[in-house]
Structure formats: C-alpha cells, structure tokens
Amino acid sequence: MPLSALPKDTIIEPVVFTSADGALSRGLFYRPAGRQPRVGVHLMHPRTDQSLNYNIPPLVRAGYAVIGRAGRAVNNDVDTVHEEILLDLAAGVRMLRDSGCERVVLLGNSGGGSLASLYQSQAQAVAASRLGPQPYTNVDLRSADLPPADGLALIGIHVGEGRVLQDMLDPSVTDERDPFARDPDLDMYDPGNGFRVPVTGIRYDAAFVDRYRAAQLHRVQRLDELARAALSAQARARQELAALPGDALPAQRLTLERLAVQAPFLTIYRTTADLAMADLTIDPDDRSAGGHDGHPRPDLQNWSTSGFARYLTPRAWLSTWSATSSHASTLRSLAAVTSPTLIVHYAGDVYTRMRDARALGQAAATDDKTFVLVRRADHYGRPIGDTSSPDRVSEGTDAVVTWMTSHFPPD
C-alpha cells in the first residue's frame, strides 16, 4: 500500500538508532498529527528496510504510532547475525517507550516474523536463561537490556530463514566449490526424476522425496562443518597470537595477525530447489507451480547467480541460514512467547506451507492467539490467478488492524 494512503497530516520523522554495542541504524517514525498515540508498532526485518512496508499506512490511519526501519545489516545478506540485530530491535522498542507509547507491538513481516519472535522469546525470558556468546558472536543477551513488547502481530511469515533454506537447498551438489558438480539421482530438475518443462503436473516418487529431504539435511550439516571449521581456525590463530612471546619473529606475528582476522566466505550454490515448487501435491495449498515471484522456470533460477544465501560469512551461515544451528527458529521462539499473538498466513506463500503455518499457530505458548488465513495470496499478499479478485494485501492488513484495535486500542 503506497504512502499516499497515509493521512495528509501524518508526521514522518527520520530517526537514527544507537544500539547497546554502538551500532547505528535508521528508520522512519510515523505518528498521527495532533495527539500522542498510546500504542506503538515496531516493524523490522533482519536484512531489508521496512520503513515503507505496506502495513504502515493502515496502522497510522487507525491511530497508531509506527516505526518502520532497517537494522545494521540492511540489504546485506553477507554478514547477518541475528543475535546482534536483536540489540537493534531493542533500541527501537526503547525509542517507542521513550516517545510516550505505553504499549508496544512487534509487527513481523516475512523474515521479520522470526526476528520478532526470537526477540520476544529472549526479552520475556529470565536473563540467566537467555543466549550467551556463540562461536560466531560475542553478544551476550544475558546481560543485555531487552525491553519486552506487549504483543506480536505476524503476517506473511515463515518458520525461519534456516528452515526455509533447507527446503530449497539443492542436495545434488556434490562439491561446494563447484557449481556444476551434480549427483543426477538427487536432482529434482533431472528428467529422470520426473521434471519437465513447462512446470505443470509434475509428481515426484515418495521414495525420491524421502531421499531428497534426507540429503538436504546432510548438505546443511556439511555446510555447518565448513563454517565451524573456518571459525575454529580463526579462533586458534587468535589464541596463538595472544600466547606469542615478545621475541617471536615478525613474519610469524604477521601471519597469525592475518589469520586471526580472516574467515573464508561460503559460496552456496543452487538454492532454489524445493520439491514443492514443482510438485503441487506436496503439502497442497493455493500456490502456483514455479520459483521465486512466480518465475515459470525454478530450474533456471536454481542455476542462476541469484537466490538466497549465495555468499556468506561463516557466522552469517550459522546464525541466520543454518536450519540446525540458527536460533532464529520461529517455531521454537513462539513456544516461549506468552504475549498475545496474531498470525496471518497467505495460503499461496511459496516459502511457507500450510502445515508450517498451522504449526506456528499451535506452537505459540500464549492462550491469546489468533490465526487468520488469507486464501489465494502469495508471499507478498498479491492475488494468485485472477488479478481482478479482491486485494489480498488489504485483507491481510485489515486482519492486523482489526486484531490491533481489539487487543491494543489506540486510545
């Protein structure tokens, strides 16, 4: 929804956030003119700028203050570490509180859902039970100031970047250094396994599906090992550098200094290979066959230079994109959240199956939870099929506003 839908007298203020560790980030603070809203909404994503998110105008029209913003890793997939970004989110919640908002709701859209859920689960937890330093970051959430929000509104979300990526990883990759290395027996795009163009009516054998899913998990674990090995080598160099005697040779010191700051990047090839993109009988819902944004050839997207998680630091892989190592699991986080929670699911979302959406609703620990299903809409709320059908974006956002006004009245 364009910003032209905002009331003409809306106050839009550029803001800069300073996180507890000194990191800077920015966003836009929207407020209805002429009064101080009692309820504020915080909207953020781990990697993208949410300052123009389509949910903002309806919320402002309803009387809410809204912060739409970026974090420190905006437009930077390369080094996204969730534990560090939680400090950015905390700075935003604190700003809403300081501005006079008595209650704050975290609005999570897409990957912002796993981020908001992780933040709230940590903020509500006893400090001693929070996440401590990890092999990929020194952030210690046990001593961090994490002001909890009062509720979660989650729309068009998924189960977490790592879990989504596991379903999209091509398990036929046999060598992480070679984009063309391929095991045809594990290639969903091999005609011998049932693939054809155009991508319609494809059915994969159940035994192939089982082998494929197991091999995807094995590839995640292989990438975990590569990332951990790189960080371990870096840590060893730091330890050796710290223990180096004062009379060590200059060349020896220089070598260790360079190893201590270097961790080889991971190049992750072929990440558009979810069986459900081609076979609509797998976890059936309202989606259309095809790749990202309705592309008719997911096989070409898989082999192209685009795709998720293409080029990462080892710490970004472990913190954000690994299904087995990342703490940003929406299911696990929601199981520790006790505040009122709304989940709006677009039933044609190519990244989130219907079973995943319902599992998210069941996982939420709170007794006050609402699940809304928007049919025939894609990940962005756009209509699937008949473009003359009602605006699905408005249907999803209307559900958010309705829930907000019933749980957190603006006045």
Side-chain angles (χ1 to χ4, degrees), residues 69-120:
R69 57 171 298 194
R72 70 184 68 190
V74 62
N75 297 328
N76 178 15
D77 226 8
V78 174
D79 197 34
T80 303
V81 175
H82 266 74
E83 289 81 358
E84 296 173 358
I85 297 172
L86 293 187
L87 301 181
D88 302 345
L89 203 161
V93 174
R94 196 175 303 110
M95 178 174 285
L96 282 171
R97 299 282 193 201
D98 291 344
S99 74
C101 292
E102 299 168 13
R103 309 186 81 182
V104 173
V105 174
L106 302 183
L107 176 55
N109 185 200
S110 188
S114 51
L115 177 67
S117 302
L118 176 60
Y119 176 86
Q120 188 69 349

Side-chain angles (χ1 to χ4, degrees), residues 139-158:
V139 169
D140 190 346
L141 297 179
R142 296 170 300 185
S143 58
D145 178 17
L146 303 178
D150 299 287
L152 288 180
L154 310 175
I155 179 169
I157 65 167
H158 51 63

Side-chain angles (χ1 to χ4, degrees), residues 218-341:
H218 177 72
R219 189 178 176 202
V220 171
Q221 294 168 337
R222 183 172 73 205
L223 288 164
D224 273 9
E225 291 174 1
L226 290 173
R228 292 185 185 281
L231 292 178
S232 294
Q234 187 180 40
R236 283 194 303 273
R238 289 171 177 167
Q239 292 170 354
E240 292 177 16
L241 182 62
L244 204 63
D247 58 352
L249 295 175
Q252 184 181 10
R253 182 175 297 278
L254 283 173
T255 297
L256 288 175
E257 286 175 339
R258 292 165 184 173
L259 291 173
V261 298
Q262 174 64 269
F265 283 73
L266 301 177
T267 302
I268 303 173
Y269 299 107
R270 310 212 306 263
T271 60
T272 306
D274 186 351
L275 293 170
M277 288 180 165
D279 186 344
L280 298 183
T281 68
I282 298 174
D283 299 319
D285 53 18
D286 295 347
R287 71 188 184 276
S288 300
H292 306 297
D293 295 323
H295 195 289
R297 295 286 301 275
D299 59 315
L300 297 184
Q301 286 187 318
N302 186 50
W303 286 84
S304 74
T305 56
S306 63
F308 291 121
R310 176 66 72 236
Y311 185 65
L312 301 173
T313 60
R315 67 194 209 115
W317 168 261
L318 293 171
S319 175
T320 296
W321 289 107
S322 168
T324 53
S325 296
S326 173
H327 295 288
S329 162
T330 319
L331 284 167
R332 188 165 59 240
S333 295
L334 285 179
V337 171
T338 57
S339 50
T341 299

Side-chain angles (χ1 to χ4, degrees), residues 187-188 190-196 201-204:
D187 187 354
M188 68 172 278
D190 191 301
N193 295 320
F195 182 73
R196 62 174 176 268
I202 292 174
R203 302 291 181 269
Y204 292 110

